[in-house]
Amino acid sequence: MTTSTAPLAGARQGRGIAASTVQERRRSPRDWRGWIFVGPFMAVFALTFLAPVLYSLFLSVFQTKLIGGTQFVGLDNYVQAFTDPKFLEGAGRVTLFLAVQVPVMLTLALAAALAIDSRRLAGASFFRIGLFLPYAVPGVVAVLMWGFIYSPRMGLTGNINDLLGADVLAPFSPPWILVAIGNIVTWEFVGYNMLIFYAALRTIPEELYEAAALDGAGQFRTVRSIKLPALRGAITIATIFSIIGSFQLFNEPNILRSLAPSLISTYYTPNMYAYNLSFLGQQVNYAATIAIVMGVATAVIAYVVQLRGMRREQR
Amino acid sequence: MTARTLTRVAAATAAATLLGAGLVACSDGGSPGGSPDGSGPGGGADAIEAALEAGGSITYWTWTPSAEAQVAAFEEAYPNVDVTLVDTGGANDNNIKLQNAISAGSGAPDVVQLEYQALPQFMIADSLVDLTDYGFGDLEPLYTPSTWASVSQDGIWGLPQDSGPMALFYNKRVFDEFGLEVPTTWDEYIDAGRALQAADPEYYITNDSGTDAGFGTAMIWQAGGRPFAVDGENVTIDLEDEGAQRWADSWSTLVQEDLVSQIAGWSDEWFAGLASGKIATLPIGAWMPGVFESGTQAGAGDWRVAPMPTYDGGEPVTAENGGSAQVVTQQSDNPALAAGFLQWLNSSDESIQVFLDKGGFPATVKELNSEEFLSHQSDFFGGQEINRVLVDAANSVGTGWQYLPWQAYANSVYADAVGPVYLDQGDINDGLVAWQEQNVTYGTQQGFTVGE
C-alpha cells in the first residue's frame, strides 16, 4: 500500500498532519486495485445483465414494421402498453395469482418447516427431502406430468370423476385453470421455500429454546416468540422470490396451453405476451417495452416488500 | 443476519429487474429492421448445372419425415455437394428459428421448408430468393395449379413439396356400429353428429376446440369464403363474407349442441380418441394418412376416406389444409447451388419417389395421376385405394384463395379470438369478427393499408 500512496501523501503534505494520511489513503481516488478484484464479476455483470437491459431500452423506443422499416417513436410503445387491454389483463392476472398463490404457498412452506424443526416429527429428514424433491423435477416435466393428471379423459382427474360419477373436478375449465396453475406452482416451490425457512430456523441458538423452556413456554409459545421473529428475514426473502416468480409466470401456462389452447391465451401472462409478441408477431420492440414495464413493476414491488421487511427487523 | 439478508434481498431485486428484460434481449440479435442484403441471383438454368458440378456445402432445414433419405439420395447423385440437414421439428419452431436467423442477419439455412401460408410473410420481407432467373418458370406444368399459385406471386419463391387437399376421414367401424351413413352434405354431417351423441355420449362426430386456425381457414375456403385479398401493401379482410358465414353458421350448430369434442388436435388425447374412434371423423388434409399410420396404430383397419361433404350436395369442392414448399433464402452464400438442390428435391422423379415411399402426398401432377399411386391399397385403411379419393380432392380445390402476409401471426392469435366462443358454446361468427379486428390492428401496425 505504502509505495503507491506515498507520493500522493507527499503531494498533500501542506497539511502535514501524519494522522490524516490514513484517511487520505482510504479515500485515494486513483487506487484501482479493488476494481481488479471485482473486474471479472463486473465484466460478466455488464455483459449479461446491463447490456441486455440497455439493449431492451434501446429497442423499446423504436418500431419496426413489415412495410416501412424501423422508426424512432420515443415513448409511443410505453403509452401503448399502458392502454393495451391484453397487457393489462395479463398483468392483472399475475397480480391476482400473486395475491392468492404466494400466501398459500408460503404458509404451507412455513408450516412444513416448523413441523420438521419441531423435533416431534418422526422421519423429519425424509419429509424434508420429499417436500423438496418437486423442486428438483425440471419445470417442463412437472407441468407435463400435471397436465396428464388434470386430463379429464385420460388422467387422474378423469378417474376421480368416474369414481364419483360426476364431473366434480374440472381443472381445464375457465374458472379453474388459474387455480390449476397455482397448484402446480405451489407443488413445485413449497419445498424450496420450506428449505429457506428451515435453514433460518437452524440458526437459532439452542440457548433461546432452553431459556424458553425454563420460562415454561410450550411449543406454540416458542414458535410465536422465538421462531417466527427469527424467521422474518427469511420470510422477506421468500416473499420477494415468490413475487418475482409470479410476475414472471411463463412455463406453466405456456406448456399447459398445448393441452388447453382455448383456455390460455397468447397474452395470459405478461411474459407469455412478450414472448409471443416477439417470436410470433415479430414485434420485438413492443415486447421489449412490455418486459421493461414488468421488470420495473417487479422491482418496485420487491423493493417495497424489502423496505417493510427491513423495518420489521429493526424493531 | 440483517446485513447479509439485505445484500441477498438487493441482489434478488436486481435480478428481478434484469431477468424480465433479458427475456426479450435474446429474441433479436440484429439491429431493428433491415433485411440482409443477399447476393442477387443470376445466371439461369446453366448456373445451376455449373454450381451442382462445382459442388460446395449447403444447409437444409425441414421437418419432412423423408428428408434424410432424400438428402442421402441427393448426395449420392451429386457427390461434390454436401448437404447439412437440420430437423426443425415442426412448422412453428421452424418459422421462429428462421425468423430469428433472418432478424439476426446470419444463421439462416440455404434451403428451408415453409408452409404455403407462411410463405408470403417471408416473401414480403425480402427474405427469399426469386427463382425466376434460374428458369424455374419452366417447371410450372409439373405442379397442381393450386400449389403452384401458392409459390408464385410476383415471382417464383419456392417449389411445392406436398399438398393437403381436404377429405373426410371417418371411422367405418363406429359408423357401422351405430348404423350411420357417410355424410355427403354438412347437414347430414350434423345429423350424424346428433345420432352419434344420442347413441353414446362418449362418441363425437369430430374434435375442434376453435384453436386451429389452419382448420378454420380451410373450412372457410371450402365453404366458398375468400376473406383475405392481398395486393401488395393493400390488404382486405372480410371474415364475414358469405362463405365464412356459411361455415360459421353450420359449425356453430355442432358446437352449440355439444356434438364436437373440444380436445385439442395433436394432443395425446386426440390420438387416443382417433385410435378408439371416439372421435369418429376428421375433415383434414391429404397428408393425414401418414399421421394415422404412425400415431394411431390401434385403429388400423377402422378408418376410411370419403370426399368432403358439401353445403349444397352439388359439385364436390374442397380446400387446401396445410402443405408446404421449399425455398431459398437471401442469406444463402451459394443461391445457385441451393436452387439446384431445391430443383432436384421437388421436381426429380428420384426424390419424389422417396417422398412417396414415406407416405407423403405429392404436389406433382404426374405422380398424382400415376396408376401406381392411385391403385395403392392402404392396409391401415382396410385396403381402400385412398389416393383415388385424395387425388379427386386435389383436383377439386376451390380457386382464388389468398393468405394474409402475416398469416403465421394471424394463426397464432386465432385461439385467442375464436377459442373462447367454443368454450361458451357461442356463435363462431363472433369469434371470426374478433379475429378480424386483431388482424386489422396488426396489419395497420405493420404498415399495411387494411380495408374491411
Side-chain angles (χ1 to χ4, degrees), chain A residues 53 55-56 65-67 70 80 148 151 153-154 240 244 262 265-267 278-283 287-288 291 299 306 310 313, chain B residues 2 6 9 13 16-21 24 27-28 30 32-33 96 99-100 121 211 233 268-269 409 412 416 442 445-446:
Chain A
V53 172
Y55 185 56
S56 297
K65 299 179 171 183
L66 276 171
I67 308 281
T70 304
Q80 190 190 339
F148 286 123
S151 162
R153 289 167 208 88
M154 293 164 70
I240 287 173
I244 296 166
S262 49
S265 60
T266 55
Y267 49 90
S278 136
F279 286 99
L280 296 174
Q282 300 170 46
Q283 292 165 299
Q306 178 187 338
M310 208 164 63
E313 272 182 46
Chain B
T2 313
L6 280 180
V9 168
T13 315
T17 328
L18 300 166
L19 283 177
V24 165
S27 68
D28 180 11
I96 290 172
Q99 191 59 57
N100 284 346
Q121 184 165 328
T211 54
E233 298 174 12
D268 293 302
E269 291 189 333
Y409 170 78
S412 74
D416 292 349
Y442 182 83
Q445 275 174 0
Q446 292 295 326

Short mmCIF file of all heavy atoms in Angstrom, two decimals, chain A residues 53 55-56 65-67 70 80 148 151 153-154 240 244 262 265-267 278-283 287-288 291 299 306 310 313, chain B residues 2 6 9 13 16-21 24 27-28 30 32-33 96 99-100 121 211 233 268-269 409 412 416 442 445-446:
data_model
loop_
_atom_site.label_atom_id
_atom_site.label_comp_id
_atom_site.label_asym_id
_atom_site.label_seq_id
_atom_site.Cartn_x
_atom_site.Cartn_y
_atom_site.Cartn_z
N VAL A 53 -30.32 -5.10 -20.69
CA VAL A 53 -31.29 -4.10 -20.24
C VAL A 53 -31.19 -2.85 -21.12
O VAL A 53 -32.19 -2.31 -21.60
CB VAL A 53 -31.05 -3.73 -18.76
CG1 VAL A 53 -31.92 -2.55 -18.38
CG2 VAL A 53 -31.35 -4.92 -17.88
N TYR A 55 -29.98 -2.68 -24.08
CA TYR A 55 -30.42 -3.01 -25.43
C TYR A 55 -31.95 -3.02 -25.51
O TYR A 55 -32.53 -2.53 -26.48
CB TYR A 55 -29.83 -4.35 -25.86
CG TYR A 55 -30.14 -4.70 -27.28
CD1 TYR A 55 -29.79 -3.84 -28.33
CD2 TYR A 55 -30.79 -5.89 -27.60
CE1 TYR A 55 -30.08 -4.14 -29.63
CE2 TYR A 55 -31.08 -6.20 -28.91
CZ TYR A 55 -30.72 -5.34 -29.92
OH TYR A 55 -31.02 -5.64 -31.22
N SER A 56 -32.59 -3.57 -24.47
CA SER A 56 -34.05 -3.58 -24.46
C SER A 56 -34.59 -2.16 -24.41
O SER A 56 -35.57 -1.84 -25.09
CB SER A 56 -34.56 -4.37 -23.26
OG SER A 56 -34.15 -5.70 -23.35
N LYS A 65 -41.71 -2.12 -38.72
CA LYS A 65 -42.89 -2.57 -39.45
C LYS A 65 -42.48 -3.43 -40.63
O LYS A 65 -41.41 -3.24 -41.21
CB LYS A 65 -43.67 -1.36 -39.96
CG LYS A 65 -44.16 -0.47 -38.84
CD LYS A 65 -44.90 0.72 -39.41
CE LYS A 65 -45.58 1.49 -38.28
NZ LYS A 65 -46.36 2.61 -38.77
N LEU A 66 -43.36 -4.38 -40.98
CA LEU A 66 -43.11 -5.19 -42.18
C LEU A 66 -43.01 -4.27 -43.39
O LEU A 66 -42.19 -4.46 -44.27
CB LEU A 66 -44.25 -6.19 -42.38
CG LEU A 66 -44.15 -7.51 -41.60
CD1 LEU A 66 -45.44 -8.29 -41.73
CD2 LEU A 66 -42.99 -8.33 -42.11
N ILE A 67 -43.90 -3.27 -43.44
CA ILE A 67 -43.85 -2.28 -44.50
C ILE A 67 -43.42 -0.96 -43.87
O ILE A 67 -44.09 -0.44 -42.99
CB ILE A 67 -45.26 -2.07 -45.13
CG1 ILE A 67 -45.86 -3.39 -45.55
CG2 ILE A 67 -45.20 -1.06 -46.27
CD1 ILE A 67 -45.35 -3.96 -46.82
N THR A 70 -37.87 0.57 -39.84
CA THR A 70 -37.74 0.94 -38.43
C THR A 70 -37.80 2.45 -38.26
O THR A 70 -37.23 3.20 -39.04
CB THR A 70 -36.39 0.43 -37.90
OG1 THR A 70 -36.34 -0.96 -38.12
CG2 THR A 70 -36.24 0.72 -36.43
N GLN A 80 -48.62 2.90 -25.45
CA GLN A 80 -49.45 1.79 -25.93
C GLN A 80 -49.59 0.71 -24.86
O GLN A 80 -50.68 0.18 -24.61
CB GLN A 80 -48.82 1.19 -27.19
CG GLN A 80 -49.73 0.20 -27.90
CD GLN A 80 -49.00 -0.55 -29.01
OE1 GLN A 80 -47.97 -0.09 -29.51
NE2 GLN A 80 -49.52 -1.70 -29.39
N PHE A 148 -51.12 -34.28 -17.47
CA PHE A 148 -51.74 -35.61 -17.58
C PHE A 148 -52.68 -35.87 -16.41
O PHE A 148 -53.77 -36.42 -16.57
CB PHE A 148 -50.66 -36.70 -17.63
CG PHE A 148 -49.95 -36.75 -18.94
CD1 PHE A 148 -48.57 -36.63 -19.02
CD2 PHE A 148 -50.66 -36.93 -20.12
CE1 PHE A 148 -47.92 -36.67 -20.24
CE2 PHE A 148 -50.02 -36.97 -21.35
CZ PHE A 148 -48.64 -36.84 -21.40
N SER A 151 -55.90 -34.20 -16.94
CA SER A 151 -56.70 -34.57 -18.11
C SER A 151 -58.02 -35.22 -17.71
O SER A 151 -58.04 -36.22 -16.99
CB SER A 151 -55.89 -35.53 -18.99
OG SER A 151 -56.77 -36.19 -19.87
N ARG A 153 -60.07 -36.93 -19.38
CA ARG A 153 -60.42 -38.21 -20.00
C ARG A 153 -59.41 -39.29 -19.69
O ARG A 153 -59.76 -40.42 -19.40
CB ARG A 153 -60.55 -38.05 -21.52
CG ARG A 153 -61.79 -37.26 -21.88
CD ARG A 153 -61.75 -36.82 -23.33
NE ARG A 153 -62.51 -35.60 -23.50
CZ ARG A 153 -62.01 -34.39 -23.34
NH1 ARG A 153 -60.74 -34.23 -23.03
NH2 ARG A 153 -62.75 -33.32 -23.50
N MET A 154 -58.12 -38.92 -19.73
CA MET A 154 -57.11 -39.96 -19.55
C MET A 154 -56.48 -39.95 -18.17
O MET A 154 -55.89 -40.92 -17.75
CB MET A 154 -55.99 -39.77 -20.59
CG MET A 154 -56.44 -40.02 -22.01
SD MET A 154 -55.26 -39.34 -23.18
CE MET A 154 -53.88 -40.46 -22.95
N ILE A 240 -40.06 -12.14 -1.65
CA ILE A 240 -39.53 -11.45 -2.83
C ILE A 240 -39.30 -12.44 -3.97
O ILE A 240 -39.67 -12.18 -5.11
CB ILE A 240 -38.23 -10.70 -2.45
CG1 ILE A 240 -38.59 -9.48 -1.60
CG2 ILE A 240 -37.48 -10.27 -3.70
CD1 ILE A 240 -37.42 -8.75 -1.04
N ILE A 244 -41.25 -12.27 -7.64
CA ILE A 244 -40.56 -12.35 -8.93
C ILE A 244 -41.12 -13.51 -9.74
O ILE A 244 -41.45 -13.38 -10.91
CB ILE A 244 -39.04 -12.54 -8.70
CG1 ILE A 244 -38.48 -11.31 -8.00
CG2 ILE A 244 -38.33 -12.77 -10.01
CD1 ILE A 244 -37.09 -11.52 -7.43
N SER A 262 -57.62 -23.19 -25.85
CA SER A 262 -58.68 -22.19 -25.81
C SER A 262 -58.80 -21.55 -24.43
O SER A 262 -59.42 -20.51 -24.28
CB SER A 262 -60.00 -22.80 -26.24
OG SER A 262 -60.24 -23.99 -25.54
N SER A 265 -54.72 -17.87 -23.29
CA SER A 265 -54.49 -17.05 -24.48
C SER A 265 -53.01 -16.80 -24.67
O SER A 265 -52.19 -17.12 -23.82
CB SER A 265 -55.24 -15.73 -24.33
OG SER A 265 -54.77 -15.04 -23.20
N THR A 266 -52.66 -16.19 -25.78
CA THR A 266 -51.25 -15.89 -26.05
C THR A 266 -50.76 -14.75 -25.17
O THR A 266 -49.58 -14.45 -25.13
CB THR A 266 -51.02 -15.50 -27.51
OG1 THR A 266 -51.88 -14.39 -27.83
CG2 THR A 266 -51.33 -16.64 -28.45
N TYR A 267 -51.68 -14.06 -24.48
CA TYR A 267 -51.27 -12.96 -23.60
C TYR A 267 -51.71 -13.25 -22.17
O TYR A 267 -52.05 -12.35 -21.41
CB TYR A 267 -51.87 -11.64 -24.09
CG TYR A 267 -53.35 -11.68 -24.38
CD1 TYR A 267 -54.28 -11.39 -23.40
CD2 TYR A 267 -53.82 -12.04 -25.65
CE1 TYR A 267 -55.63 -11.45 -23.66
CE2 TYR A 267 -55.17 -12.10 -25.92
CZ TYR A 267 -56.07 -11.80 -24.93
OH TYR A 267 -57.42 -11.86 -25.18
N SER A 278 -42.86 -11.19 -29.60
CA SER A 278 -41.56 -11.15 -30.22
C SER A 278 -41.33 -12.33 -31.16
O SER A 278 -40.83 -12.15 -32.26
CB SER A 278 -40.52 -11.06 -29.11
OG SER A 278 -39.47 -11.90 -29.35
N PHE A 279 -41.76 -13.52 -30.76
CA PHE A 279 -41.44 -14.68 -31.58
C PHE A 279 -42.50 -15.01 -32.62
O PHE A 279 -42.21 -15.60 -33.64
CB PHE A 279 -41.18 -15.91 -30.71
CG PHE A 279 -39.86 -15.84 -30.00
CD1 PHE A 279 -39.79 -15.45 -28.69
CD2 PHE A 279 -38.69 -16.15 -30.67
CE1 PHE A 279 -38.58 -15.36 -28.04
CE2 PHE A 279 -37.47 -16.07 -30.03
CZ PHE A 279 -37.42 -15.67 -28.71
N LEU A 280 -43.74 -14.66 -32.35
CA LEU A 280 -44.78 -14.96 -33.33
C LEU A 280 -45.17 -13.71 -34.11
O LEU A 280 -45.45 -13.78 -35.30
CB LEU A 280 -46.02 -15.54 -32.64
CG LEU A 280 -45.81 -16.88 -31.96
CD1 LEU A 280 -47.06 -17.29 -31.20
CD2 LEU A 280 -45.46 -17.94 -32.99
N GLY A 281 -45.21 -12.55 -33.43
CA GLY A 281 -45.67 -11.35 -34.09
C GLY A 281 -44.56 -10.46 -34.62
O GLY A 281 -44.82 -9.46 -35.24
N GLN A 282 -43.32 -10.86 -34.37
CA GLN A 282 -42.17 -10.06 -34.81
C GLN A 282 -42.22 -8.64 -34.28
O GLN A 282 -41.69 -7.72 -34.89
CB GLN A 282 -42.07 -10.04 -36.33
CG GLN A 282 -41.91 -11.42 -36.92
CD GLN A 282 -42.06 -11.40 -38.41
OE1 GLN A 282 -41.49 -10.54 -39.08
NE2 GLN A 282 -42.80 -12.33 -38.97
N GLN A 283 -42.90 -8.43 -33.16
CA GLN A 283 -42.96 -7.08 -32.58
C GLN A 283 -41.95 -7.00 -31.44
O GLN A 283 -42.32 -6.84 -30.28
CB GLN A 283 -44.38 -6.78 -32.11
CG GLN A 283 -45.35 -6.65 -33.25
CD GLN A 283 -46.78 -6.72 -32.80
OE1 GLN A 283 -47.22 -7.71 -32.24
NE2 GLN A 283 -47.53 -5.67 -33.05
N ALA A 287 -42.38 -5.90 -27.47
CA ALA A 287 -42.09 -6.94 -26.48
C ALA A 287 -41.06 -6.44 -25.48
O ALA A 287 -41.18 -6.67 -24.27
CB ALA A 287 -41.60 -8.21 -27.18
N ALA A 288 -40.06 -5.72 -25.97
CA ALA A 288 -39.05 -5.16 -25.07
C ALA A 288 -39.70 -4.17 -24.10
O ALA A 288 -39.37 -4.13 -22.91
CB ALA A 288 -37.96 -4.46 -25.88
N ALA A 291 -41.52 -6.03 -21.42
CA ALA A 291 -40.57 -6.63 -20.48
C ALA A 291 -40.03 -5.58 -19.52
O ALA A 291 -39.90 -5.83 -18.32
CB ALA A 291 -39.42 -7.29 -21.25
N ALA A 299 -39.55 -4.76 -9.72
CA ALA A 299 -38.52 -4.19 -8.86
C ALA A 299 -39.15 -3.30 -7.80
O ALA A 299 -38.76 -3.35 -6.63
CB ALA A 299 -37.53 -3.39 -9.71
N GLN A 306 -39.12 -5.30 0.54
CA GLN A 306 -37.82 -5.28 1.20
C GLN A 306 -37.79 -4.22 2.29
O GLN A 306 -37.33 -4.46 3.41
CB GLN A 306 -36.75 -4.99 0.14
CG GLN A 306 -35.35 -4.88 0.69
CD GLN A 306 -34.40 -4.43 -0.39
OE1 GLN A 306 -34.66 -4.59 -1.58
NE2 GLN A 306 -33.28 -3.87 0.02
N MET A 310 -37.37 -4.85 6.23
CA MET A 310 -36.25 -4.26 6.93
C MET A 310 -36.74 -3.54 8.18
O MET A 310 -36.17 -3.66 9.25
CB MET A 310 -35.58 -3.25 6.00
CG MET A 310 -34.12 -3.06 6.27
SD MET A 310 -33.37 -2.24 4.86
CE MET A 310 -34.23 -0.68 4.86
N GLU A 313 -37.45 -5.82 10.92
CA GLU A 313 -36.29 -6.41 11.55
C GLU A 313 -35.62 -5.45 12.51
O GLU A 313 -35.03 -5.84 13.49
CB GLU A 313 -35.29 -6.83 10.48
CG GLU A 313 -35.56 -8.23 10.01
CD GLU A 313 -34.54 -8.66 9.01
OE1 GLU A 313 -33.35 -8.43 9.27
OE2 GLU A 313 -34.92 -9.22 7.98
N THR B 2 -28.89 -9.42 9.57
CA THR B 2 -29.59 -8.36 8.85
C THR B 2 -28.79 -7.90 7.63
O THR B 2 -29.34 -7.79 6.53
CB THR B 2 -29.81 -7.15 9.78
OG1 THR B 2 -30.31 -7.64 10.99
CG2 THR B 2 -30.77 -6.19 9.15
N LEU B 6 -29.92 -8.28 3.73
CA LEU B 6 -30.12 -7.13 2.85
C LEU B 6 -29.39 -7.30 1.53
O LEU B 6 -29.92 -7.00 0.47
CB LEU B 6 -29.65 -5.86 3.55
CG LEU B 6 -30.67 -5.32 4.54
CD1 LEU B 6 -30.14 -4.07 5.19
CD2 LEU B 6 -31.98 -5.02 3.81
N VAL B 9 -31.28 -9.65 -0.50
CA VAL B 9 -32.52 -9.05 -1.00
C VAL B 9 -32.21 -8.10 -2.15
O VAL B 9 -32.87 -8.10 -3.17
CB VAL B 9 -33.24 -8.31 0.14
CG1 VAL B 9 -34.35 -7.44 -0.43
CG2 VAL B 9 -33.80 -9.31 1.12
N THR B 13 -33.58 -8.35 -5.90
CA THR B 13 -34.33 -7.27 -6.55
C THR B 13 -33.70 -6.92 -7.88
O THR B 13 -34.38 -6.77 -8.89
CB THR B 13 -34.33 -6.03 -5.64
OG1 THR B 13 -34.60 -6.45 -4.32
CG2 THR B 13 -35.35 -5.04 -6.10
N ALA B 16 -34.44 -9.52 -10.42
CA ALA B 16 -35.82 -9.47 -10.91
C ALA B 16 -35.95 -8.48 -12.04
O ALA B 16 -36.56 -8.75 -13.06
CB ALA B 16 -36.74 -9.05 -9.77
N THR B 17 -35.35 -7.32 -11.85
CA THR B 17 -35.45 -6.30 -12.88
C THR B 17 -34.83 -6.77 -14.17
O THR B 17 -35.34 -6.55 -15.26
CB THR B 17 -34.68 -5.04 -12.42
OG1 THR B 17 -34.79 -4.96 -11.02
CG2 THR B 17 -35.21 -3.82 -13.09
N LEU B 18 -33.70 -7.44 -14.01
CA LEU B 18 -32.90 -7.74 -15.19
C LEU B 18 -33.42 -8.93 -15.95
O LEU B 18 -33.39 -8.97 -17.17
CB LEU B 18 -31.46 -7.97 -14.75
CG LEU B 18 -30.91 -6.71 -14.06
CD1 LEU B 18 -29.63 -7.00 -13.32
CD2 LEU B 18 -30.70 -5.63 -15.08
N LEU B 19 -33.93 -9.92 -15.22
CA LEU B 19 -34.37 -11.13 -15.91
C LEU B 19 -35.50 -10.81 -16.88
O LEU B 19 -35.56 -11.32 -17.98
CB LEU B 19 -34.83 -12.17 -14.90
CG LEU B 19 -33.67 -12.87 -14.21
CD1 LEU B 19 -34.19 -13.84 -13.17
CD2 LEU B 19 -32.80 -13.59 -15.22
N GLY B 20 -36.39 -9.95 -16.46
CA GLY B 20 -37.52 -9.61 -17.32
C GLY B 20 -37.05 -9.06 -18.65
O GLY B 20 -37.52 -9.43 -19.70
N ALA B 21 -36.09 -8.18 -18.59
CA ALA B 21 -35.60 -7.58 -19.82
C ALA B 21 -34.77 -8.57 -20.62
O ALA B 21 -34.79 -8.56 -21.84
CB ALA B 21 -34.77 -6.35 -19.48
N VAL B 24 -36.37 -10.64 -23.47
CA VAL B 24 -36.56 -10.06 -24.78
C VAL B 24 -35.25 -9.87 -25.50
O VAL B 24 -35.14 -10.06 -26.70
CB VAL B 24 -37.30 -8.72 -24.64
CG1 VAL B 24 -37.20 -7.94 -25.92
CG2 VAL B 24 -38.74 -9.00 -24.31
N SER B 27 -34.12 -12.28 -27.94
CA SER B 27 -35.00 -12.66 -29.03
C SER B 27 -34.57 -12.06 -30.36
O SER B 27 -34.96 -12.51 -31.40
CB SER B 27 -36.42 -12.20 -28.71
OG SER B 27 -36.44 -10.79 -28.72
N ASP B 28 -33.78 -11.04 -30.33
CA ASP B 28 -33.46 -10.38 -31.59
C ASP B 28 -32.02 -9.95 -31.56
O ASP B 28 -31.66 -9.03 -30.85
CB ASP B 28 -34.38 -9.19 -31.78
CG ASP B 28 -34.08 -8.47 -33.09
OD1 ASP B 28 -33.33 -9.03 -33.89
OD2 ASP B 28 -34.57 -7.38 -33.27
N GLY B 30 -30.31 -8.79 -34.08
CA GLY B 30 -29.94 -7.82 -35.10
C GLY B 30 -30.40 -6.42 -34.76
O GLY B 30 -31.10 -6.18 -33.80
N PRO B 32 -32.66 -3.14 -35.30
CA PRO B 32 -34.07 -3.10 -35.67
C PRO B 32 -34.22 -2.93 -37.18
O PRO B 32 -33.62 -2.06 -37.77
CB PRO B 32 -34.57 -1.84 -34.94
CG PRO B 32 -33.55 -1.56 -33.89
CD PRO B 32 -32.27 -2.08 -34.40
N GLY B 33 -35.00 -3.80 -37.73
CA GLY B 33 -35.32 -3.68 -39.15
C GLY B 33 -34.17 -4.07 -40.05
O GLY B 33 -33.14 -4.55 -39.63
N ILE B 96 -40.11 -19.82 -36.28
CA ILE B 96 -39.50 -18.97 -35.25
C ILE B 96 -37.99 -18.93 -35.43
O ILE B 96 -37.36 -17.88 -35.41
CB ILE B 96 -39.89 -19.48 -33.85
CG1 ILE B 96 -41.37 -19.22 -33.60
CG2 ILE B 96 -39.06 -18.79 -32.77
CD1 ILE B 96 -41.91 -19.85 -32.34
N GLN B 99 -37.15 -16.94 -38.52
CA GLN B 99 -37.36 -15.51 -38.31
C GLN B 99 -36.22 -14.92 -37.49
O GLN B 99 -35.73 -13.84 -37.78
CB GLN B 99 -38.70 -15.29 -37.59
CG GLN B 99 -39.13 -13.85 -37.55
CD GLN B 99 -39.28 -13.26 -38.95
OE1 GLN B 99 -40.03 -13.78 -39.76
NE2 GLN B 99 -38.52 -12.21 -39.24
N ASN B 100 -35.79 -15.66 -36.47
CA ASN B 100 -34.69 -15.17 -35.64
C ASN B 100 -33.41 -15.04 -36.46
O ASN B 100 -32.69 -14.04 -36.34
CB ASN B 100 -34.44 -16.12 -34.47
CG ASN B 100 -35.49 -15.96 -33.40
OD1 ASN B 100 -36.24 -14.98 -33.41
ND2 ASN B 100 -35.58 -16.90 -32.48
N GLN B 121 -45.30 -14.13 -45.72
CA GLN B 121 -44.67 -13.35 -44.66
C GLN B 121 -43.17 -13.17 -44.92
O GLN B 121 -42.62 -12.10 -44.71
CB GLN B 121 -44.91 -14.08 -43.35
CG GLN B 121 -44.41 -13.38 -42.14
CD GLN B 121 -45.02 -13.99 -40.89
OE1 GLN B 121 -46.15 -14.48 -40.91
NE2 GLN B 121 -44.27 -13.98 -39.82
N THR B 211 -59.17 -23.63 -31.92
CA THR B 211 -57.82 -23.14 -31.70
C THR B 211 -56.89 -23.43 -32.88
O THR B 211 -55.75 -23.01 -32.87
CB THR B 211 -57.21 -23.80 -30.45
OG1 THR B 211 -57.30 -25.21 -30.61
CG2 THR B 211 -57.99 -23.39 -29.21
N GLU B 233 -49.24 -3.82 -50.73
CA GLU B 233 -49.38 -3.33 -49.37
C GLU B 233 -50.83 -3.13 -48.98
O GLU B 233 -51.13 -2.70 -47.87
CB GLU B 233 -48.61 -2.02 -49.20
CG GLU B 233 -47.12 -2.20 -49.43
CD GLU B 233 -46.38 -0.88 -49.41
OE1 GLU B 233 -46.97 0.13 -48.99
OE2 GLU B 233 -45.20 -0.87 -49.80
N ASP B 268 -52.18 -36.00 -26.85
CA ASP B 268 -52.24 -37.45 -26.65
C ASP B 268 -53.69 -37.93 -26.65
O ASP B 268 -54.00 -39.01 -27.14
CB ASP B 268 -51.55 -37.83 -25.35
CG ASP B 268 -50.07 -37.57 -25.42
OD1 ASP B 268 -49.43 -38.14 -26.31
OD2 ASP B 268 -49.57 -36.80 -24.60
N GLU B 269 -54.55 -37.10 -26.07
CA GLU B 269 -55.97 -37.47 -26.03
C GLU B 269 -56.54 -37.57 -27.44
O GLU B 269 -57.41 -38.38 -27.72
CB GLU B 269 -56.75 -36.41 -25.26
CG GLU B 269 -56.45 -36.40 -23.79
CD GLU B 269 -57.41 -35.50 -23.04
OE1 GLU B 269 -57.92 -34.56 -23.66
OE2 GLU B 269 -57.64 -35.75 -21.86
N TYR B 409 -48.61 -15.19 -37.88
CA TYR B 409 -49.02 -14.46 -36.68
C TYR B 409 -50.53 -14.57 -36.49
O TYR B 409 -51.02 -14.85 -35.39
CB TYR B 409 -48.60 -13.00 -36.76
CG TYR B 409 -49.21 -12.18 -35.65
CD1 TYR B 409 -48.68 -12.22 -34.37
CD2 TYR B 409 -50.36 -11.42 -35.86
CE1 TYR B 409 -49.26 -11.53 -33.34
CE2 TYR B 409 -50.94 -10.71 -34.84
CZ TYR B 409 -50.40 -10.77 -33.57
OH TYR B 409 -50.98 -10.09 -32.55
N SER B 412 -51.56 -17.62 -34.97
CA SER B 412 -51.17 -17.79 -33.57
C SER B 412 -52.17 -17.11 -32.62
O SER B 412 -52.26 -17.47 -31.46
CB SER B 412 -49.76 -17.25 -33.34
OG SER B 412 -49.75 -15.84 -33.35
N ASP B 416 -57.02 -17.12 -29.43
CA ASP B 416 -57.44 -16.04 -28.51
C ASP B 416 -58.84 -15.54 -28.86
O ASP B 416 -59.63 -15.21 -27.98
CB ASP B 416 -56.48 -14.85 -28.61
CG ASP B 416 -55.10 -15.19 -28.07
OD1 ASP B 416 -54.96 -16.24 -27.44
OD2 ASP B 416 -54.18 -14.38 -28.29
N TYR B 442 -53.24 -5.46 -36.28
CA TYR B 442 -51.85 -5.88 -36.51
C TYR B 442 -51.37 -5.39 -37.87
O TYR B 442 -50.26 -4.85 -38.00
CB TYR B 442 -51.74 -7.40 -36.41
CG TYR B 442 -50.32 -7.90 -36.58
CD1 TYR B 442 -49.44 -7.91 -35.51
CD2 TYR B 442 -49.87 -8.36 -37.81
CE1 TYR B 442 -48.14 -8.37 -35.66
CE2 TYR B 442 -48.57 -8.82 -37.98
CZ TYR B 442 -47.71 -8.83 -36.89
OH TYR B 442 -46.43 -9.27 -37.05
N GLN B 445 -50.69 -1.76 -37.81
CA GLN B 445 -49.44 -1.50 -37.07
C GLN B 445 -48.22 -1.82 -37.91
O GLN B 445 -47.18 -1.19 -37.77
CB GLN B 445 -49.40 -2.37 -35.81
CG GLN B 445 -50.13 -1.77 -34.63
CD GLN B 445 -50.18 -2.74 -33.46
OE1 GLN B 445 -49.66 -3.86 -33.53
NE2 GLN B 445 -50.79 -2.32 -32.37
N GLN B 446 -48.35 -2.84 -38.75
CA GLN B 446 -47.20 -3.26 -39.54
C GLN B 446 -47.04 -2.44 -40.82
O GLN B 446 -46.22 -2.77 -41.67
CB GLN B 446 -47.30 -4.76 -39.87
CG GLN B 446 -47.16 -5.66 -38.66
CD GLN B 446 -45.78 -5.58 -38.04
OE1 GLN B 446 -44.79 -5.40 -38.72
NE2 GLN B 446 -45.71 -5.70 -36.71
#
